[in-house]
Amino acid sequence: MPSTLTIPWGNADWNAILPLGVVALTPLLVILADLLLPRSLRRSVVLALAALGLIYAGFLAARGWGHPYSAFGGGFVTGGFTIVFQEIVIAGALFSLLLATHLGRDDQAGGAVALLLWSASGAMLMAGAANLMTIFLGLELLSLALYCLCGLAARPSAREAALKYLILSSTASGFMLYGMALLFGATGSVQLSAFAAPAASPMLFTLGSGLFLIGFVFKLSLAPFHIWTPDVYEGAPLPVTAFMSVVTKAGALAVLARFAYAALPQANAQAILVPLWIVAALSMIVGNVGALAQTDVKRLLAYSGTAQLGYVVAALAGTTSLGLRYAIFYLVAYMFMNLGAFAVVALLSREHEEGSHLSAYAGLGYRQPVLAALMTFFLLALAGLPPTAGFTGKLLILASSVDAGYAWLAVILIVGTAISAYAYLKIVLAMYARGAGAPLQRALHPASALPWLGVAICAIATFVLTFYPLAPSDVLPLVK
Amino acid sequence: MSNDALVLLALWLLPLASAILIFAFGPMLRRSAGVIGSGAVLVPFALTWVLAASALGTGGLKVHLFDWIAGFSFGLWLDPLSLLWTLIITGVGGLIHVYAIGYMWSDRAIARFFAYMNFFVFAMLTLVLSDNFVGLLVGWGLVGLASYFLIGFWFFKPSAVAAAMKAFVINVVGDAGLMFAVFVLFAATGSTAYADVFAKAATLAPATVLLACIAIFIGCAAKSAQIPLHTWLPDAMEGPTPVSALIHAATMVTAGVYLVARCAPLWDVSPEARALVGTIGALTALVGAILGIAQWDIKRILAYSTMSQIGYMIMGVGVGAYQAGILHFFTHAFFKAQLFLAAGIVIHALHDEQDLRKMGGLGKKMPLAFWAMTIGTLAIIGFPPFSGFFSKDAVIYGALERGYPLLSLIGVVTAGITAYYMCRMLFVTFLGNNRGNVPDVDLGIPAREHSEPHFGESAPAWVMGAPVAILMVPSVVAGWVVFGGRWNALFASDFAPKPESALATVLPEWLVGVVVLAFVAWGVAAAYHRYGSFDATVSAVERLRAESQRMAQPLVRAFYFDDALEALFVRPARAVGSAFMRVVDPHVIDGVVRDVVWLAGWIGREVRALQTGLVRGYALVLALGAAAFLAYFALIGASR
């Protein structure tokens, strides 16, 4: 008797992925607009369409708050945790679009924006992915689009960056896939929720977990897996770099947190995660020391990103519920202060020349006092000085890691912070030093209203978050 | 909010508002920035008086600002201790602001200067007015930042930039210590408010309290230039003189004294912490005084004397003689500010000449500076009835009373040395004949770079003269508060009652005072013999040259503290750093890869082909990282 083929999912399942569906389908409109419209209109229409799509998806995602649902047989879960990360991804993508108003070539705008949105939809999928298949799908969707985006700029370093990223990222994906295979072999399931049961072979399970973690540690660019980051950040176009520094990280962190909190069996979770804390500690030191020597602001921000993600992962140490909330808070804070700094770099950039070399900042304090003051503010925030969200976030992370019994991480965090102050202060000093070489006379790009908007929003958010450490309390029950 | 609360809020925020205003409209304001800046400090001074009554009442004046997260709530607290500091910060600070109008008169960046100065005052007020450790930490960090900006204010001088960097580095070490202390206390008591923490002080484990005290004191030692973290203070004299007077003499460097006094409940339950802090204070007093002997730069002498005097204060509050330590802060603020401002008049008049050997005979030319310096010197060496006499005596006797006779003895000896080096400075500067035209070589001055003296129009003399003249009054009389009266209430903070040691019952306070005076008299006489007498002034050029050439090496190298720090920390850090850099920075990594490649014998000709080589290097790092990961997982997997 022939079995009837029934599709085991219905409307509720489609609703759950609607936000990311919108983000994934908007590029079709974008490409269409790019084909049909005259050259002069293309860029603005394309950007507007993409922004509208993202904002609409943001609304759709927010609507699901308080309605946890496990869609597609447990492949994708939605609810508080997923939504928070999806909103971070959407915000990060929107800010990146703001920076794209005057950078790059007009005729590339359509394709680039479409790729950016597809990449973002991959990160959104990762935010809710609850089995190994969806995780891999999300990750590859995110990465494949990024390989192309990295190579967009006309300079030779761009192609080099794209190639490096492709090769190294594939290596990491290889490790991860192998890990997934071992995990499947050990547990007989691809569902994260099935991993909590005792594995048939503990050896296979731990090895699989280790390989799996490598993939995500690579994506988070934690030391020593950060090695690709500075070159790729330097070579990629500025909006893409900004995008990578937030969206990729948010997606990878979502998977990592879900794996650490919801998948691993309680008994040996802490033992399995130890390398993660060590890698976080290494990142805080290596990232900040590496930042010291940089003369290119994009490279500096790459190293700083490594350190900042180290702080975020350190918050998870001990997998306490408070730790997860603080990690999310710090990620949000990082998004604002980091993108604020990127927006300032964008404002200093010209169509074919990015204002990321330190020399572009010499004497900026006198030529563009407001811009320099804001840049100083973002850098102080990244260094963790009050009154900025960076300070609050670090304080919370310190508190939670001490609470969870990881005082040594707290000590390393303090040391790392102290080192980072020099790295960031170097730019501040350059901006306010007079007479150090002839300052470049460079006016701001005329079409730069939108990056200014980004700078303003980031500055306000960085300041306001200092006093309101929003850390959604009902995130945790929804991790699973 | 009550009226008092609003007044407190206003006096706290006014300097910040003014700093922002001046920073924003600086180019337009020019010199009027100085007037606005001074007003923004003097008005809070007046406002502080309005609040004195409620601050001295029970529990002081508390203003709750906002709740943050559990355990962190922000508020201001004006009690006798913070009232005293606020009065000095705004009072002495205000006078120094007025003086600075004259000092910075022809500097193009005068507006920026006053913006920084006001910002500093705001930061310092935050530090002392906060009612919790987090606010303290914020203020602590911000004064460090302000100090960094102001030391490096003349950024075209490489020495100033280096000094600013050094001050910043050492202060970051201190900040880290303090931050750690706050976390220890928070972990132990669940709160960061002073009231909560101190209420539980007696119930904490002794080891926890000791750890917290030591960590706090690392912060204090860095900020207050206690050995071995003092080396930044003499270098900080690269900043403009008003900065030295305000930040590096009267206020910021005494933050450590404030903090120890504020944390008295912690020190009260930890005898080990007491002994440690008292000893460091006494040693700092001694080392600072000895190094003061060997200086030729007028501001560096004052810097070492500041370090030494703060050593006294720290010794006082460290051993538990809180009132004595605080009293010494109080009197020191006046006479040290006055000494610096008088030195500033001299330096200004001589177009940035700071070397004693090029001075001499200035007494007749600059009577105001001479008298100010004389009164300041009498006060600092503890000559009765000048203010320093009472406070220094109180510290020395306080240590004796609380059972630290050895520290007391160090204090007595230091008093003698202080008299010697301060009189040396006074005599060499103002007595004899002017040596301004004697060539450097004849005076034994090593070759030095001449910075371009900035001539410009000068301010009316009274702008710089008036604050100095006003400061003379408290320099003389401030110590008289020990006789009682209304002022005494300022020192009436709630400290534990003092225990009497056996020795103190035998030695009455007047006898100790007489011994101190004997040492002081010896110091003055020795200085007079070598620098002040007729013989000495006649042969000054030869004598000074001889002394410059024969100066003992340990003194010239400041007891090798800098060299030790360099050898212990800076050089290893640099070595580790450059080794680390090779590992960390991809541009350098190729070198490492080449090493590895060479070792393994995989040599290929195209290794030098940069790009592919880099990718291979990166992949190698990835693979090594992954191997380390897997080794760990294989281990824990096997152990299961």
Side-chain angles (χ1 to χ4, degrees), chain A residues 14-27 53-54 56-58 60-61 72 76-77 82 86 89-90 117-118 120-129 134 137-138 141:
Chain A
W14 296 115
N15 266 334
I17 59 158
L18 195 55
L20 80 94
V22 168
V23 175
L25 293 177
T26 311
L54 281 169
Y56 182 52
L60 286 177
F72 301 106
F76 185 87
V77 293
T82 306
Q86 286 188 337
V89 167
I90 289 171
L117 288 184
W118 277 321
S121 70
M124 289 172 73
L125 182 58
M126 287 166 83
T134 37
L137 188 62
L141 187 50

mmCIF file of all heavy atoms in Angstrom, chain A residues 14-27 53-54 56-58 60-61 72 76-77 82 86 89-90 117-118 120-129 134 137-138 141:
data_model
loop_
_atom_site.group_PDB
_atom_site.id
_atom_site.type_symbol
_atom_site.label_atom_id
_atom_site.label_comp_id
_atom_site.label_asym_id
_atom_site.label_seq_id
_atom_site.Cartn_x
_atom_site.Cartn_y
_atom_site.Cartn_z
ATOM 1 N N TRP A 14 5.882 28.144 8.282
ATOM 2 C CA TRP A 14 6.282 29.188 7.322
ATOM 3 C C TRP A 14 6.352 30.534 8.002
ATOM 4 O O TRP A 14 7.225 31.345 7.715
ATOM 5 C CB TRP A 14 5.307 29.232 6.140
ATOM 6 C CG TRP A 14 5.342 27.957 5.343
ATOM 7 C CD1 TRP A 14 4.335 27.059 5.195
ATOM 8 C CD2 TRP A 14 6.472 27.439 4.621
ATOM 9 N NE1 TRP A 14 4.735 26.002 4.435
ATOM 10 C CE2 TRP A 14 6.049 26.200 4.053
ATOM 11 C CE3 TRP A 14 7.766 27.871 4.398
ATOM 12 C CZ2 TRP A 14 6.885 25.411 3.278
ATOM 13 C CZ3 TRP A 14 8.598 27.094 3.631
ATOM 14 C CH2 TRP A 14 8.160 25.873 3.076
ATOM 15 N N ASN A 15 5.400 30.790 8.906
ATOM 16 C CA ASN A 15 5.413 32.063 9.632
ATOM 17 C C ASN A 15 6.715 32.253 10.396
ATOM 18 O O ASN A 15 7.230 33.361 10.478
ATOM 19 C CB ASN A 15 4.246 32.119 10.625
ATOM 20 C CG ASN A 15 3.054 32.807 9.999
ATOM 21 O OD1 ASN A 15 3.222 33.615 9.093
ATOM 22 N ND2 ASN A 15 1.857 32.467 10.462
ATOM 23 N N ALA A 16 7.197 31.151 10.942
ATOM 24 C CA ALA A 16 8.396 31.260 11.770
ATOM 25 C C ALA A 16 9.587 31.766 10.964
ATOM 26 O O ALA A 16 10.442 32.480 11.490
ATOM 27 C CB ALA A 16 8.723 29.915 12.412
ATOM 28 N N ILE A 17 9.655 31.377 9.679
ATOM 29 C CA ILE A 17 10.809 31.833 8.897
ATOM 30 C C ILE A 17 10.452 33.009 7.997
ATOM 31 O O ILE A 17 11.232 33.398 7.132
ATOM 32 C CB ILE A 17 11.412 30.693 8.042
ATOM 33 C CG1 ILE A 17 10.363 30.139 7.096
ATOM 34 C CG2 ILE A 17 12.005 29.606 8.908
ATOM 35 C CD1 ILE A 17 10.988 29.432 5.919
ATOM 36 N N LEU A 18 9.289 33.598 8.224
ATOM 37 C CA LEU A 18 8.872 34.717 7.379
ATOM 38 C C LEU A 18 9.884 35.864 7.394
ATOM 39 O O LEU A 18 10.255 36.370 6.324
ATOM 40 C CB LEU A 18 7.488 35.192 7.819
ATOM 41 C CG LEU A 18 6.766 36.097 6.818
ATOM 42 C CD1 LEU A 18 6.662 35.414 5.463
ATOM 43 C CD2 LEU A 18 5.384 36.470 7.338
ATOM 44 N N PRO A 19 10.351 36.300 8.562
ATOM 45 C CA PRO A 19 11.296 37.432 8.546
ATOM 46 C C PRO A 19 12.505 37.152 7.673
ATOM 47 O O PRO A 19 12.906 37.998 6.864
ATOM 48 C CB PRO A 19 11.709 37.573 10.014
ATOM 49 C CG PRO A 19 10.633 36.928 10.804
ATOM 50 C CD PRO A 19 10.067 35.839 9.931
ATOM 51 N N LEU A 20 13.073 35.973 7.813
ATOM 52 C CA LEU A 20 14.264 35.736 7.009
ATOM 53 C C LEU A 20 13.904 35.489 5.561
ATOM 54 O O LEU A 20 14.684 35.765 4.648
ATOM 55 C CB LEU A 20 15.114 34.620 7.619
ATOM 56 C CG LEU A 20 14.804 33.153 7.437
ATOM 57 C CD1 LEU A 20 15.581 32.612 6.254
ATOM 58 C CD2 LEU A 20 15.233 32.416 8.691
ATOM 59 N N GLY A 21 12.650 35.013 5.341
ATOM 60 C CA GLY A 21 12.169 34.887 3.966
ATOM 61 C C GLY A 21 12.120 36.250 3.298
ATOM 62 O O GLY A 21 12.542 36.402 2.144
ATOM 63 N N VAL A 22 11.628 37.244 4.026
ATOM 64 C CA VAL A 22 11.550 38.595 3.457
ATOM 65 C C VAL A 22 12.943 39.082 3.090
ATOM 66 O O VAL A 22 13.170 39.612 2.000
ATOM 67 C CB VAL A 22 10.871 39.547 4.461
ATOM 68 C CG1 VAL A 22 11.039 40.983 4.019
ATOM 69 C CG2 VAL A 22 9.409 39.197 4.602
ATOM 70 N N VAL A 23 13.895 38.872 4.015
ATOM 71 C CA VAL A 23 15.256 39.337 3.738
ATOM 72 C C VAL A 23 15.851 38.577 2.555
ATOM 73 O O VAL A 23 16.600 39.136 1.761
ATOM 74 C CB VAL A 23 16.135 39.186 4.997
ATOM 75 C CG1 VAL A 23 17.567 39.551 4.688
ATOM 76 C CG2 VAL A 23 15.592 40.058 6.107
ATOM 77 N N ALA A 24 15.487 37.324 2.417
ATOM 78 C CA ALA A 24 16.067 36.540 1.326
ATOM 79 C C ALA A 24 15.412 36.858 -0.010
ATOM 80 O O ALA A 24 16.035 36.675 -1.062
ATOM 81 C CB ALA A 24 15.938 35.050 1.639
ATOM 82 N N LEU A 25 14.164 37.326 0.004
ATOM 83 C CA LEU A 25 13.476 37.598 -1.252
ATOM 84 C C LEU A 25 13.639 39.033 -1.733
ATOM 85 O O LEU A 25 13.554 39.306 -2.929
ATOM 86 C CB LEU A 25 11.980 37.262 -1.128
ATOM 87 C CG LEU A 25 11.707 35.761 -0.950
ATOM 88 C CD1 LEU A 25 10.219 35.495 -0.771
ATOM 89 C CD2 LEU A 25 12.227 34.973 -2.153
ATOM 90 N N THR A 26 13.885 39.949 -0.807
ATOM 91 C CA THR A 26 14.087 41.347 -1.206
ATOM 92 C C THR A 26 15.155 41.486 -2.299
ATOM 93 O O THR A 26 14.991 42.288 -3.213
ATOM 94 C CB THR A 26 14.464 42.208 0.023
ATOM 95 O OG1 THR A 26 13.536 41.941 1.055
ATOM 96 C CG2 THR A 26 14.443 43.677 -0.315
ATOM 97 N N PRO A 27 16.238 40.729 -2.259
ATOM 98 C CA PRO A 27 17.253 40.855 -3.309
ATOM 99 C C PRO A 27 16.703 40.670 -4.712
ATOM 100 O O PRO A 27 17.218 41.278 -5.652
ATOM 101 C CB PRO A 27 18.243 39.744 -2.953
ATOM 102 C CG PRO A 27 18.115 39.571 -1.509
ATOM 103 C CD PRO A 27 16.687 39.844 -1.174
ATOM 104 N N GLY A 53 13.052 46.478 3.041
ATOM 105 C CA GLY A 53 12.914 45.041 3.265
ATOM 106 C C GLY A 53 13.411 44.652 4.642
ATOM 107 O O GLY A 53 12.754 43.901 5.372
ATOM 108 N N LEU A 54 14.563 45.183 5.012
ATOM 109 C CA LEU A 54 15.137 44.839 6.318
ATOM 110 C C LEU A 54 14.241 45.325 7.453
ATOM 111 O O LEU A 54 13.992 44.609 8.429
ATOM 112 C CB LEU A 54 16.526 45.458 6.455
ATOM 113 C CG LEU A 54 17.655 44.716 5.727
ATOM 114 C CD1 LEU A 54 18.914 45.545 5.704
ATOM 115 C CD2 LEU A 54 17.914 43.375 6.396
ATOM 116 N N TYR A 56 11.051 45.953 7.359
ATOM 117 C CA TYR A 56 9.831 45.141 7.403
ATOM 118 C C TYR A 56 10.120 43.796 8.092
ATOM 119 O O TYR A 56 9.364 43.348 8.957
ATOM 120 C CB TYR A 56 9.308 44.931 5.982
ATOM 121 C CG TYR A 56 8.024 44.134 5.921
ATOM 122 C CD1 TYR A 56 6.932 44.510 6.700
ATOM 123 C CD2 TYR A 56 7.902 43.010 5.115
ATOM 124 C CE1 TYR A 56 5.751 43.791 6.662
ATOM 125 C CE2 TYR A 56 6.736 42.273 5.078
ATOM 126 C CZ TYR A 56 5.657 42.666 5.853
ATOM 127 O OH TYR A 56 4.507 41.945 5.830
ATOM 128 N N ALA A 57 11.230 43.184 7.735
ATOM 129 C CA ALA A 57 11.593 41.910 8.363
ATOM 130 C C ALA A 57 11.774 42.099 9.865
ATOM 131 O O ALA A 57 11.392 41.238 10.664
ATOM 132 C CB ALA A 57 12.881 41.375 7.738
ATOM 133 N N GLY A 58 12.348 43.256 10.239
ATOM 134 C CA GLY A 58 12.527 43.538 11.659
ATOM 135 C C GLY A 58 11.201 43.567 12.391
ATOM 136 O O GLY A 58 11.057 42.997 13.474
ATOM 137 N N LEU A 60 8.403 42.098 11.405
ATOM 138 C CA LEU A 60 7.852 40.744 11.420
ATOM 139 C C LEU A 60 8.489 39.914 12.528
ATOM 140 O O LEU A 60 7.804 39.174 13.244
ATOM 141 C CB LEU A 60 8.099 40.067 10.073
ATOM 142 C CG LEU A 60 7.228 40.559 8.916
ATOM 143 C CD1 LEU A 60 7.638 39.855 7.629
ATOM 144 C CD2 LEU A 60 5.755 40.304 9.216
ATOM 145 N N ALA A 61 9.802 40.052 12.651
ATOM 146 C CA ALA A 61 10.493 39.254 13.656
ATOM 147 C C ALA A 61 10.025 39.655 15.051
ATOM 148 O O ALA A 61 9.744 38.813 15.904
ATOM 149 C CB ALA A 61 12.000 39.437 13.528
ATOM 150 N N PHE A 72 9.481 23.272 11.516
ATOM 151 C CA PHE A 72 10.115 22.271 10.658
ATOM 152 C C PHE A 72 10.724 21.123 11.454
ATOM 153 O O PHE A 72 11.903 20.812 11.326
ATOM 154 C CB PHE A 72 11.177 22.925 9.769
ATOM 155 C CG PHE A 72 10.615 23.998 8.900
ATOM 156 C CD1 PHE A 72 10.838 25.326 9.171
ATOM 157 C CD2 PHE A 72 9.809 23.662 7.818
ATOM 158 C CE1 PHE A 72 10.288 26.300 8.380
ATOM 159 C CE2 PHE A 72 9.258 24.647 7.022
ATOM 160 C CZ PHE A 72 9.496 25.969 7.305
ATOM 161 N N PHE A 76 14.228 24.663 13.145
ATOM 162 C CA PHE A 76 14.346 26.099 13.338
ATOM 163 C C PHE A 76 13.428 26.505 14.473
ATOM 164 O O PHE A 76 12.236 26.215 14.431
ATOM 165 C CB PHE A 76 13.943 26.830 12.048
ATOM 166 C CG PHE A 76 14.132 28.315 12.101
ATOM 167 C CD1 PHE A 76 15.355 28.885 11.757
ATOM 168 C CD2 PHE A 76 13.095 29.149 12.502
ATOM 169 C CE1 PHE A 76 15.533 30.252 11.807
ATOM 170 C CE2 PHE A 76 13.274 30.517 12.552
ATOM 171 C CZ PHE A 76 14.505 31.070 12.200
ATOM 172 N N VAL A 77 13.983 27.103 15.516
ATOM 173 C CA VAL A 77 13.116 27.531 16.610
ATOM 174 C C VAL A 77 13.073 29.046 16.620
ATOM 175 O O VAL A 77 14.035 29.724 16.271
ATOM 176 C CB VAL A 77 13.613 27.025 17.979
ATOM 177 C CG1 VAL A 77 13.498 25.529 18.076
ATOM 178 C CG2 VAL A 77 15.015 27.499 18.251
ATOM 179 N N THR A 82 16.105 33.803 19.472
ATOM 180 C CA THR A 82 16.239 33.941 18.037
ATOM 181 C C THR A 82 15.960 35.363 17.594
ATOM 182 O O THR A 82 16.691 35.941 16.780
ATOM 183 C CB THR A 82 15.248 32.991 17.329
ATOM 184 O OG1 THR A 82 15.467 31.679 17.822
ATOM 185 C CG2 THR A 82 15.424 33.028 15.841
ATOM 186 N N GLN A 86 18.216 37.967 15.586
ATOM 187 C CA GLN A 86 17.778 38.409 14.258
ATOM 188 C C GLN A 86 17.736 39.920 14.179
ATOM 189 O O GLN A 86 18.132 40.519 13.178
ATOM 190 C CB GLN A 86 16.404 37.817 13.938
ATOM 191 C CG GLN A 86 16.492 36.326 13.610
ATOM 192 C CD GLN A 86 15.188 35.771 13.101
ATOM 193 O OE1 GLN A 86 14.131 36.317 13.368
ATOM 194 N NE2 GLN A 86 15.262 34.673 12.367
ATOM 195 N N VAL A 89 21.180 41.230 13.771
ATOM 196 C CA VAL A 89 21.623 41.046 12.390
ATOM 197 C C VAL A 89 21.022 42.114 11.495
ATOM 198 O O VAL A 89 21.711 42.739 10.669
ATOM 199 C CB VAL A 89 21.231 39.632 11.892
ATOM 200 C CG1 VAL A 89 21.395 39.534 10.388
ATOM 201 C CG2 VAL A 89 22.060 38.582 12.605
ATOM 202 N N ILE A 90 19.710 42.349 11.667
ATOM 203 C CA ILE A 90 19.036 43.329 10.816
ATOM 204 C C ILE A 90 19.624 44.718 11.047
ATOM 205 O O ILE A 90 19.927 45.458 10.097
ATOM 206 C CB ILE A 90 17.518 43.312 11.098
ATOM 207 C CG1 ILE A 90 16.922 42.015 10.541
ATOM 208 C CG2 ILE A 90 16.849 44.521 10.476
ATOM 209 C CD1 ILE A 90 15.491 41.794 10.935
ATOM 210 N N LEU A 117 22.211 41.166 1.490
ATOM 211 C CA LEU A 117 20.958 40.715 2.100
ATOM 212 C C LEU A 117 20.928 39.191 2.212
ATOM 213 O O LEU A 117 20.478 38.636 3.217
ATOM 214 C CB LEU A 117 19.775 41.213 1.289
ATOM 215 C CG LEU A 117 19.491 42.715 1.394
ATOM 216 C CD1 LEU A 117 18.235 43.068 0.626
ATOM 217 C CD2 LEU A 117 19.347 43.132 2.835
ATOM 218 N N TRP A 118 21.417 38.522 1.174
ATOM 219 C CA TRP A 118 21.422 37.049 1.258
ATOM 220 C C TRP A 118 22.304 36.583 2.405
ATOM 221 O O TRP A 118 21.964 35.680 3.159
ATOM 222 C CB TRP A 118 21.894 36.449 -0.072
ATOM 223 C CG TRP A 118 20.775 36.353 -1.062
ATOM 224 C CD1 TRP A 118 19.500 36.010 -0.782
ATOM 225 C CD2 TRP A 118 20.831 36.621 -2.455
ATOM 226 N NE1 TRP A 118 18.740 36.049 -1.914
ATOM 227 C CE2 TRP A 118 19.527 36.407 -2.970
ATOM 228 C CE3 TRP A 118 21.834 37.003 -3.344
ATOM 229 C CZ2 TRP A 118 19.203 36.584 -4.316
ATOM 230 C CZ3 TRP A 118 21.521 37.159 -4.679
ATOM 231 C CH2 TRP A 118 20.224 36.958 -5.160
ATOM 232 N N ALA A 120 22.886 38.265 5.060
ATOM 233 C CA ALA A 120 22.175 38.557 6.308
ATOM 234 C C ALA A 120 21.119 37.495 6.583
ATOM 235 O O ALA A 120 20.916 37.082 7.731
ATOM 236 C CB ALA A 120 21.537 39.940 6.239
ATOM 237 N N SER A 121 20.448 37.023 5.502
ATOM 238 C CA SER A 121 19.415 36.011 5.747
ATOM 239 C C SER A 121 20.060 34.724 6.275
ATOM 240 O O SER A 121 19.463 34.009 7.086
ATOM 241 C CB SER A 121 18.613 35.764 4.477
ATOM 242 O OG SER A 121 19.419 35.091 3.536
ATOM 243 N N GLY A 122 21.279 34.463 5.826
ATOM 244 C CA GLY A 122 21.985 33.295 6.373
ATOM 245 C C GLY A 122 22.217 33.455 7.861
ATOM 246 O O GLY A 122 21.989 32.524 8.650
ATOM 247 N N ALA A 123 22.641 34.645 8.269
ATOM 248 C CA ALA A 123 22.870 34.883 9.697
ATOM 249 C C ALA A 123 21.570 34.760 10.469
ATOM 250 O O ALA A 123 21.538 34.258 11.600
ATOM 251 C CB ALA A 123 23.484 36.261 9.903
ATOM 252 N N MET A 124 20.463 35.212 9.860
ATOM 253 C CA MET A 124 19.185 35.106 10.551
ATOM 254 C C MET A 124 18.765 33.650 10.711
ATOM 255 O O MET A 124 18.139 33.269 11.703
ATOM 256 C CB MET A 124 18.108 35.894 9.801
ATOM 257 C CG MET A 124 18.308 37.394 9.920
ATOM 258 S SD MET A 124 17.204 38.343 8.873
ATOM 259 C CE MET A 124 15.661 38.146 9.740
ATOM 260 N N LEU A 125 19.101 32.853 9.705
ATOM 261 C CA LEU A 125 18.802 31.427 9.809
ATOM 262 C C LEU A 125 19.620 30.810 10.950
ATOM 263 O O LEU A 125 19.116 30.011 11.741
ATOM 264 C CB LEU A 125 19.126 30.745 8.477
ATOM 265 C CG LEU A 125 18.840 29.246 8.376
ATOM 266 C CD1 LEU A 125 17.377 28.974 8.667
ATOM 267 C CD2 LEU A 125 19.191 28.726 6.989
ATOM 268 N N MET A 126 20.904 31.211 11.041
ATOM 269 C CA MET A 126 21.733 30.687 12.120
ATOM 270 C C MET A 126 21.174 31.059 13.487
ATOM 271 O O MET A 126 21.291 30.306 14.451
ATOM 272 C CB MET A 126 23.161 31.234 12.000
ATOM 273 C CG MET A 126 23.950 30.627 10.867
ATOM 274 S SD MET A 126 25.419 31.598 10.558
ATOM 275 C CE MET A 126 26.506 30.935 11.808
ATOM 276 N N ALA A 127 20.569 32.264 13.566
ATOM 277 C CA ALA A 127 20.042 32.718 14.855
ATOM 278 C C ALA A 127 19.017 31.747 15.408
ATOM 279 O O ALA A 127 18.874 31.600 16.618
ATOM 280 C CB ALA A 127 19.439 34.109 14.718
ATOM 281 N N GLY A 128 18.266 31.074 14.499
ATOM 282 C CA GLY A 128 17.226 30.188 14.994
ATOM 283 C C GLY A 128 17.513 28.711 14.730
ATOM 284 O O GLY A 128 16.704 27.851 15.066
ATOM 285 N N ALA A 129 18.661 28.426 14.125
ATOM 286 C CA ALA A 129 18.929 27.045 13.713
ATOM 287 C C ALA A 129 19.088 26.134 14.915
ATOM 288 O O ALA A 129 19.808 26.452 15.848
ATOM 289 C CB ALA A 129 20.191 27.004 12.863
ATOM 290 N N THR A 134 20.401 22.859 9.512
ATOM 291 C CA THR A 134 20.073 24.277 9.350
ATOM 292 C C THR A 134 21.262 25.154 9.731
ATOM 293 O O THR A 134 21.490 26.198 9.131
ATOM 294 C CB THR A 134 18.832 24.663 10.187
ATOM 295 O OG1 THR A 134 18.876 23.948 11.405
ATOM 296 C CG2 THR A 134 17.570 24.366 9.450
ATOM 297 N N LEU A 137 23.502 25.121 6.747
ATOM 298 C CA LEU A 137 22.856 25.870 5.671
ATOM 299 C C LEU A 137 23.027 27.368 5.907
ATOM 300 O O LEU A 137 23.442 28.125 5.016
ATOM 301 C CB LEU A 137 21.370 25.500 5.634
ATOM 302 C CG LEU A 137 20.568 26.038 4.459
ATOM 303 C CD1 LEU A 137 21.120 25.484 3.163
ATOM 304 C CD2 LEU A 137 19.103 25.673 4.618
ATOM 305 N N GLY A 138 22.707 27.805 7.127
ATOM 306 C CA GLY A 138 22.815 29.232 7.456
ATOM 307 C C GLY A 138 24.240 29.712 7.299
ATOM 308 O O GLY A 138 24.504 30.753 6.677
ATOM 309 N N LEU A 141 25.274 29.954 3.632
ATOM 310 C CA LEU A 141 24.571 31.058 2.972
ATOM 311 C C LEU A 141 25.249 32.371 3.337
ATOM 312 O O LEU A 141 25.496 33.242 2.500
ATOM 313 C CB LEU A 141 23.109 31.049 3.434
ATOM 314 C CG LEU A 141 22.142 32.016 2.762
ATOM 315 C CD1 LEU A 141 22.242 31.909 1.265
ATOM 316 C CD2 LEU A 141 20.725 31.699 3.215
#
